[in-house]
Amino acid sequence: MKAAIADGHVVTLHYRLTLDDGSIADESFGGEPLVYMQGSHNIVPGLERQLVGKEVGAKCDVKVPAAEGYGDYDPTLDQTVPRSAFPADAQLAVGIAFQAQDQNGQPVTLWIRNMSGDEITVSPNHPMAGQTLNFSIEVLEIRDATAQEKQHGHAHGPGGHNH
Ligand code: ZN
């Protein structure tokens, strides 16, 4: 066990993510905690940065501006396409992510931002882009990452990658 969070540590924590409108976007309390590797960009940058030095048992609130969270929202990147641009059997819903290619053939993640009749708005903006992220955190466990975890850049074992 380590006393305080630093790069190269595997951290187990509970979190609640509340948006500025008061809605809870995500939370682990009451379920499986999050396990991630500090310093490997497994979590949004502003949260990772502000967790440095937190100790086991710490309960804290961390406010992350959009620029250090899921990015600012750029509406000029949104595109509206007809339903027929998707496979007929595709299950479409607002918030779903899918892989596409940009003009240079590079893979890009797009989210369905809006659906109106036959018109589907797709966007490379993360659904939480432009939002301030208000995290409530409880740090449960901190340990050194193994050599293999450091090589992979993510946590293994319960709550982490299983491969
Ligand atoms: Zn791995």
Side-chain angles (χ1 to χ4, degrees):
M1 293 280 279
K2 289 283 163 178
I5 295 173
D7 284 359
H9 289 166
V10 170
V11 179
T12 304
L13 56 73
H14 271 310
Y15 69 95
R16 179 182 304 112
L17 169 54
T18 308
L19 303 179
D20 278 341
D21 67 2
S23 64
I24 295 175
D26 196 10
E27 98 169 290
S28 71
F29 287 101
E32 291 297 311
L34 173 71
V35 180
Y36 78 96
M37 195 166 128
Q38 178 75 21
S40 293
H41 313 305
N42 297 165
I43 59 176
V44 296
L47 178 60
E48 183 171 56
R49 184 173 62 72
Q50 294 183 67
L51 286 174
V52 171
K54 299 288 191 233
E55 299 182 345
V56 172
K59 295 178 182 177
C60 53
D61 293 325
V62 174
K63 187 183 269 293
V64 176
E68 284 190 291
Y70 291 104
D72 292 317
Y73 172 55
D74 182 354
T76 66
L77 299 177
D78 292 358
Q79 286 182 50
T80 298
V81 297
R83 174 66 179 82
S84 58
F86 294 87
D89 61 351
Q91 298 287 324
L92 302 182
V94 171
I96 283 182
F98 60 95
Q99 297 297 317
Q101 289 187 339
D102 68 13
Q103 297 104 322
N104 303 317
Q106 295 300 309
V108 58
T109 301
L110 297 176
W111 281 268
I112 295 179
R113 192 155 191 104
N114 194 30
M115 297 175 67
S116 176
D118 187 47
E119 296 194 326
I120 314 285
T121 303
V122 299
S123 173
N125 292 295
H126 187 280
M128 284 189 270
Q131 300 262 17
T132 301
L133 310 176
N134 304 286
F135 289 97
S136 292
I137 300 288
E138 181 177 359
V139 181
L140 303 177
E141 191 184 333
I142 307 169
R143 64 168 172 83
D144 276 324
T146 65
Q148 193 188 42
E149 286 172 324
K150 286 180 179 170
Q151 199 180 358
H152 289 194
H154 54 228
H156 291 164
H161 280 246
N162 188 4
H163 63 102

